[in-house]
Amino acid sequence: MRRFVGFAAVLAACAACSTEGSGGSAPSTTTPEGLKVEVVATGLSHPWDVGFLPDGRMLVPQRPGRIALVSADGSVTDVEADLGDVEARGEGGLMSLVVHPDFATSHRFTTCFNTSSDVRLVTWELAGAKATRVKDPLLSGLPTASSGRHSGCRMALDRDGNLLIGTGDTARGDVAQDRSSLGGKVLRVDLATGEGVAGNPFGDRIYTYGHRNVQGVAVRQDGMVFTAEHGPSVDDEVNALKAGGNYGWDPSQGGAVSGYDEDVPMTDLTRFPDAVPAVWSSGRPTEAICDAAFLVGEQWGSLNGVLAVTALKGAKVLFFTITQEGGVHSVAIPPELDGAHGRLRGAELGPDGSLYVTTSNGTDDKILRITNP
């Protein structure tokens, strides 16, 4: 049996983990059989996401401003699309992609990307290997920074088919706590119109606020939503979302400083006693955690229900065992995905039940398929 290797002694026995809902039991590591990692496609450049089409092909947005159509045999075709307004700079560019649930009849998908003036969502229609804009924009006005820093832009569909969008604070101190701004938030909108949906806590598009830079959004089968979020020099976070929740990031210190003070807590419970604590924090060092996906199906064995979270700086995948109440019970790192493939960004569960992960090394990036043999 191949065992998971400790991650700084599994983060000092997961000392920074919340054990909410774990019945007070001590966090532990799991020891499943070794995972199988296969390379599905190569030759990509910063692939940000993977969207699965009904015929088995994949749509893959690449940060420089290209969309790849990847066939089941791994062959890559460039999608013809007008992406001239994509501004690829720093952390920003063409980022997340969501295939519409009715793609078999509508042929539609939605992308999120930086322009020179904002971050926006555009809906496309695919015909062969050509994509045409049909809703431009679906949503605009998400803040952007000239450096592209903290662009957020991770999308996922909730259990009701609404579009969740994790946004970044653009490295500006007052954005995350400002509910007139769409930055530093998780938004919940109608996939067809881009408008806020009934039941949103503030009557607009905002679902939660007080975030720094949401890089992963994962929806569990029961509907609970989890996010993966970049911390500053300490405390990457996994958060369980509660409608209307404030997640406590405020580098402006309530307006007391004009710059971007990253020495404040990632979740400032002193300034915001009602802020929602993270269910897991990395402590120091951070790993620049990124996308997140739940492993679902009997083929995963003891890993069924685990939350897989990629890491850029850490170049690994972290496996979180989540309690029913939403707390983190244990964290482990499969050795097959610990430093073996460089920076890891996208994570999606495929229709075949496999986990698909993208590398983000800049040259000859890959799509990996992970299974539990």
Side-chain angles (χ1 to χ4, degrees):
M1 178 178 289
R2 300 183 68 178
R3 295 183 177 269
F4 278 9
V5 175
F7 170 42
V10 189
L11 299 179
C14 200
C17 296
S18 164
T19 57
E20 177 187 357
S22 65
S25 58
S28 59
T29 59
T30 54
T31 54
E33 297 292 336
L35 300 179
K36 181 179 180 181
V37 181
E38 303 170 274
V39 176
V40 173
T42 62
L44 302 168
S45 178
H46 292 295
W48 231 85
D49 214 337
V50 177
F52 299 95
L53 304 184
D55 62 5
R57 295 180 298 169
M58 293 175 276
L59 282 171
V60 182
Q62 299 169 83
R63 195 172 68 194
R66 298 190 296 275
I67 301 173
L69 191 59
V70 180
S71 299
D73 64 1
S75 60
V76 177
T77 301
D78 287 334
V79 173
E80 181 184 347
D82 177 11
L83 291 162
D85 54 345
V86 173
E87 288 279 335
R89 56 185 185 271
E91 300 170 7
L94 178 58
M95 295 177 283
S96 193
L97 179 149
V98 164
V99 174
H100 289 209
D102 64 351
F103 182 91
T105 54
S106 72
H107 309 292
R108 292 189 174 187
F109 65 95
T110 294
T111 57
C112 183
F113 57 85
N114 296 73
T115 74
S116 60
S117 60
D118 65 359
V119 172
R120 63 180 53 198
L121 279 63
V122 170
T123 296
W124 308 75
E125 190 170 300
L126 185 69
K130 181 177 181 179
T132 304
R133 299 185 186 213
V134 294
K135 187 73 173 176
D136 181 14
L138 174 67
L139 176 61
S140 61
L142 281 67
T144 188
S146 59
S147 64
R149 192 177 179 204
H150 296 187
S151 293
C153 224
R154 183 65 66 185
M155 299 188 297
L157 296 174
D158 72 10
R159 198 168 56 167
D160 297 321
N162 300 310
L163 183 61
L164 299 167
I165 310 151
T167 71
D169 69 356
T170 65
R172 291 200 286 267
D174 59 347
V175 165
Q177 293 295 325
D178 179 2
R179 294 211 305 266
S180 69
S181 169
L182 297 180
K185 313 293 188 296
V186 174
L187 313 178
R188 186 173 67 166
V189 305
D190 187 292
L191 181 61
T193 67
E195 297 296 327
V197 299
N200 278 2
F202 307 111
D204 54 14
R205 297 181 174 95
I206 295 173
Y207 189 66
T208 59
Y209 67 105
H211 298 280
R212 184 174 182 269
N213 190 20
V214 177
Q215 290 288 294
V217 180
V219 181
R220 198 164 66 177
Q221 285 184 303
D222 64 1
M224 186 175 283
V225 181
F226 294 80
T227 59
E229 191 168 350
H230 282 183
S233 60
V234 65
D235 286 343
D236 289 338
E237 289 185 349
V238 173
N239 286 299
L241 296 193
K242 298 180 180 179
N246 179 2
Y247 286 77
W249 175 245
D250 183 21
S252 76
Q253 297 185 44
V257 298
S258 59
Y260 191 66
D261 181 3
E262 298 193 75
D263 290 330
V264 299
M266 184 68 166
T267 302
D268 193 338
L269 294 170
T270 299
R271 181 173 295 281
F272 307 108
D274 294 330
V276 183
V279 299
W280 175 85
S281 298
S282 66
R284 193 186 303 272
T286 57
E287 299 292 319
I289 59 174
C290 200
D291 203 3
F294 279 97
L295 308 182
V296 179
E298 293 181 358
Q299 72 277 10
W300 287 104
S302 64
L303 295 175
N304 188 12
V306 159
L307 179 66
V309 177
T310 57
L312 294 166
K313 183 174 68 175
K316 56 174 66 74
V317 178
L318 295 86
F319 280 9
F320 293 85
T321 301
I322 307 289
T323 67
Q324 176 143 7
E325 296 81 1
V328 171
H329 180 264
S330 64
V331 188
I333 300 167
E336 299 85 355
L337 296 168
D338 187 4
H341 305 280
R343 294 163 62 88
L344 302 178
R345 185 181 294 277
E348 293 291 335
L349 194 73
D352 61 352
S354 303
L355 177 66
Y356 288 78
V357 168
T358 69
T359 71
S360 191
N361 299 311
T363 58
D364 193 27
D365 277 315
K366 300 171 176 63
I367 301 172
L368 310 175
R369 179 171 55 226
I370 297 109
T371 54
N372 188 29

